[in-house]
């Protein structure tokens, strides 16, 4: 198995970052509209987009003309339709804000940039995506060993008393058990006026 092309790796990084910045997808993932595997679907979507361009990597040798690859790459309208369909099928989201076209246009621009050897767009989107920290999924932090906290002189004193949580159960309205008579009927009580 050969290693992936550097162009394709850079393109994949850019796609992952651009999808992380896309507010419609980010909201869908954070709210779990794609089910419990929403974040996996986001990565899957990135893989689908990268796969559409994988066969169109420009040649590195001079024997093949680059012009034969340019006309066959997916255009913005194709990518937009794909994004709209996947958002509907996987996240049950109908987009009417034109954001899918903006993402599709960025995908095409990203492809042209990485094929030309430019990585500024990838770095810009990765910087923007770094600002959005996804909420931790259940069980994610249980297996991780955070070694960067070890040996850290922190200002937090772990021996301090922990504040007590409020007991809200006594503020809830009291609900009595229903009264059932000997024939099996439930007695309905009249509620007091407020």
């Amino acid at each position: 198995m050969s290693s992936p092309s550097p162009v394709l790796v850079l393109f994949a990084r850019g796609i992952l970052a651009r999808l992380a910045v896309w507010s419609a997808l980010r909201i869908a993932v954070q709210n779990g509209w794609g089910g419990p595997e929403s974040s996996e679907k986001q990565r899957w979507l990135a893989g689908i987009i990268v796969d559409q361009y994988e066969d169109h990597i420009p040649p590195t040798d001079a024997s093949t003309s680059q012009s034969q690859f340019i006309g066959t790459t997916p255009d913005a309208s194709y990518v937009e339709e794909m994004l709209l369909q996947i958002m509907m099928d996987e996240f049950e989201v109908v987009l009417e804000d034109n954001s899918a076209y903006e993402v599709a246009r960025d995908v095409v621009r990203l492809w042209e940039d990485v094929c030309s050897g430019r990585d500024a767009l990838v770095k810009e989107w990765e910087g923007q995506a770094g600002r959005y920290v996804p909420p931790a999924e259940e069980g994610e932090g249980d297996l991780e060993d955070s070694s960067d906290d070890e040996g850290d002189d922190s200002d937090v004193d772990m021996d301090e008393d922990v504040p007590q949580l409020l007991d809200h159960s006594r503020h809830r309205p009291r609900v009595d058990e229903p009264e059932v008579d000997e024939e099996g009927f439930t007695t309905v009580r009249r509620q007091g006026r407020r």
Side-chain angles (χ1 to χ4, degrees), residues 23 61 106 111 153 165 173:
S23 60
D61 61 350
D106 286 346
W111 179 251
D153 290 336
L165 299 176

Side-chain angles (χ1 to χ4, degrees), residues 31-118:
N31 291 315
W33 294 343
E37 63 280 343
S38 291
S39 56
E40 286 86 16
K41 287 182 180 182
Q42 181 177 5
R43 289 186 293 275
W44 171 78
L45 173 57
I48 294 293
I49 295 170
V50 171
D51 289 347
Q52 298 300 313
Y53 286 86
E54 186 173 18
D55 295 332
H56 306 289
I57 298 172
T60 54
D61 61 350
S63 64
T64 311
S65 167
Q66 185 174 350
S67 63
Q68 74 183 38
F69 290 95
I70 293 174
T72 59
T73 58
D75 62 356
S77 62
Y78 175 80
V79 175
E80 177 191 22
E81 287 299 317
M82 183 176 58
L83 290 171
L84 290 171
Q85 187 67 46
I86 289 174
M87 289 297 287
M88 180 60 199
D89 292 348
E90 300 298 328
F91 295 98
E92 298 180 10
V93 173
V94 177
L95 296 172
E96 297 175 350
D97 63 350
N98 208 28
S99 65
Y101 180 73
E102 293 169 8
V103 172
R105 192 180 61 219
D106 286 346
V107 166
V108 171
R109 188 174 65 163
L110 172 67
W111 179 251
E112 292 167 355
D113 279 6
V114 298
C115 287
S116 300
R118 295 186 300 266

